[in-house]
Amino acid sequence: MGKTKDKSGPLARRPDNSAFKQQRLPAWSPMLTANTVLPFFYLLAVICMLLGVWLLLLVQSTQEIKLDYTDLGNCNECFDLRRNVSNAVQTCTCWTYCDIRPFHAHCFIFWLSPQGDVFFYYGLKNFHQNLRRYMDSRDDGQTLGRIKKLKNPSSYCAPFDKDNDGVPIAPCGAIANSMFNDSFTLNYHLSSSRIVPVPLLRTGLTWYTDKNVKFRNPRADNLTLAEVFEGTRPPLYWQKPVYSLDPHDPNNNGFINEDLIVWMREAAFPNFKKLYGILNRADPIFEKGLPKGNYTIDISYNFPVQHFQGRKGVVLTTLTWFGGQNHFLPIAYLVTSSLILLTAVVLTVAWWKFGKDGKNMKE
């Protein structure tokens, strides 16, 4: 017997005659009528409105203080000193005063809630960390602790890869070179004769992946951290080498210094704030937060802002699970709810005008 020839022609590529391939399976197609669409619009508007009101109340429950100290009070002397780059190595300190009481403050209306943690931030204005050339000016291999990269930084760091003598810089790059280096001490005036420093936790500020994955110190057996970094120089405008950034905690030095890690995570917008410390509530005086009273902030004024027409300040705030005082999402929900409700009302009026049964609709 001869072999049966394969099908050819226009029917050769025809799908099988099955319910699935011929699209004969049962399907559900919703009927979009006024009786089904309008209730959905009203329900969605109510849900968005409730979410917006809830988030707005949540955001309003956080307390926040913002203080611009760029040229405030005696900080004006430091502000003038930092105009000249040649004065970068000279130390300058100043202080500012705050009176925290319920519904009253010396410079602002503010009262920290006695319950919950208090977070201390520093902030900058008009500082663009999101420029591509600036963001690329770093060597991730170096901050990962690779010995070869320590003294042979990437060309991406240029011109901040080596100093004028040709000695490699660690950490290299524009980001590390421009690290914010003001330091703060918050003091609580318990009485006219007793001043208590407010204890701030200077660790636990970073993301877990940054602290344990992206930033590591070079490993060298039986060598101190200073000996590991021997043969390198700190960035041009640093006052301390990377291995002694935190004299109070030897485990917070080198590339795993948390101030460095926080700074190296670039901000998306030119006006930003970064975490500096968290109130240590182990002290009985600050067990419930910051008590009302008089406070001063001692500032080691190092970071210049004149060259980019910037401003700098400090922020004290309480947080919720939603974060700090960010009104964007609550307002977005309320605006969306209003638009949906307006659309529902217009559709309802149109439906009522032309007739519920469609008799008044013109074909």
Side-chain angles (χ1 to χ4, degrees), residues 192-205:
S192 58
S193 59
R194 185 183 177 189
I195 300 177
V196 179
V198 178
L200 294 176
L201 297 174
R202 301 286 285 114
T203 57
L205 315 177

Side-chain angles (χ1 to χ4, degrees), residues 142 150-151 160-172 229-236 238 240-243 255:
Q142 190 185 62
L150 186 62
K151 297 184 179 180
F160 304 103
D161 54 344
K162 297 180 181 179
D163 65 2
N164 296 330
D165 299 325
V167 181
I169 294 175
C172 70
F229 282 93
E230 187 176 356
T232 65
R233 297 277 178 83
L236 180 63
W238 282 28
K240 300 178 182 178
V242 68
Y243 53 81
F255 293 144

Side-chain angles (χ1 to χ4, degrees), residues 157-200:
C157 289
F160 304 103
D161 54 344
K162 297 180 181 179
D163 65 2
N164 296 330
D165 299 325
V167 181
I169 294 175
C172 70
I175 305 177
N177 184 70
S178 61
M179 177 181 169
F180 186 84
N181 57 350
D182 284 5
S183 58
F184 310 93
T185 302
L186 183 62
N187 301 305
Y188 173 48
H189 293 247
L190 192 61
S191 64
S192 58
S193 59
R194 185 183 177 189
I195 300 177
V196 179
V198 178
L200 294 176

Side-chain angles (χ1 to χ4, degrees), residues 7-16:
K7 294 181 180 179
S8 60
L11 300 179
R13 301 168 64 95
R14 181 180 179 180
D16 295 336

